[in-house]
Amino acid sequence: MSLPEPADKRKVMKNAYNTFPAAPDNRRKSHRLLCSDLITLHWGSGRGYGLQEAAVLEDYSPTGASLYMAVEIEPGVPVTIRTAWESFGAQVLRCEWRDNGYLLAIEFDKPRFEESSFLPDHLVDPKDLGL
């Protein structure tokens, strides 16, 4: 078993975009990729003052992601993801307490194709690991 080199992240992302979930209980519109990357999440407080918090990307697909962070954000809240390369919009679908933080499920405003300038670090397809 060989894992893709970091230079092959775009190939991994392209394959994920062309694979749809087989299980009906999978809420993702496309295949999830495991990753680990630090991003900044921005959202409004309802009073005109923006809030921001660091978050860790846990998994990533062209249509959404899972984030682990220290604060709760209610479902339905629009957010902006900021990376070193770009910013893009999303909406919180779920937010659940896990161990010592919150796991957020977000859906991107637009699908993130392999041509986008941001691809998370350590991007791995679970199928390549036999999972």
Side-chain angles (χ1 to χ4, degrees):
M1 169 180 76
S2 65
L3 297 177
E5 294 295 319
D8 293 334
K9 288 194 298 184
R10 294 200 185 285
K11 182 179 177 184
V12 172
M13 192 69 177
K14 182 176 182 178
N15 290 340
Y17 191 75
N18 294 323
T19 306
F20 292 93
D25 59 338
N26 188 344
R27 294 176 278 222
R28 284 284 174 87
K29 295 177 183 173
S30 55
H31 183 65
R32 299 172 195 229
L33 301 172
L34 301 176
C35 66
S36 181
D37 206 347
L38 192 60
I39 55 108
T40 304
L41 199 64
H42 294 258
W43 71 101
S45 67
R47 296 184 180 147
Y49 298 99
L51 301 172
Q52 71 178 34
E53 182 75 24
V56 177
L57 279 172
E58 294 289 324
D59 67 54
Y60 190 81
S61 78
T63 57
S66 292
L67 310 172
Y68 196 69
M69 59 189 301
V71 298
E72 181 179 17
I73 302 177
E74 294 294 323
V77 171
V79 296
T80 300
I81 296 170
R82 295 187 194 248
T83 72
W85 299 273
E86 66 178 319
S87 297
F88 49 96
Q91 183 172 345
V92 177
L93 298 178
R94 288 182 315 286
C95 182
E96 301 170 357
W97 175 256
R98 296 279 172 96
D99 300 323
N100 61 350
Y102 292 93
L103 184 65
L104 277 73
I106 61 167
E107 183 174 41
F108 302 137
D109 292 344
K110 297 177 189 172
R112 311 284 306 153
F113 297 103
E114 67 272 8
E115 294 88 15
S116 72
S117 54
F118 171 71
L119 285 176
D121 284 337
H122 315 292
L123 195 61
V124 175
D125 190 335
K127 291 188 296 185
D128 293 337
L129 302 174
L131 301 176

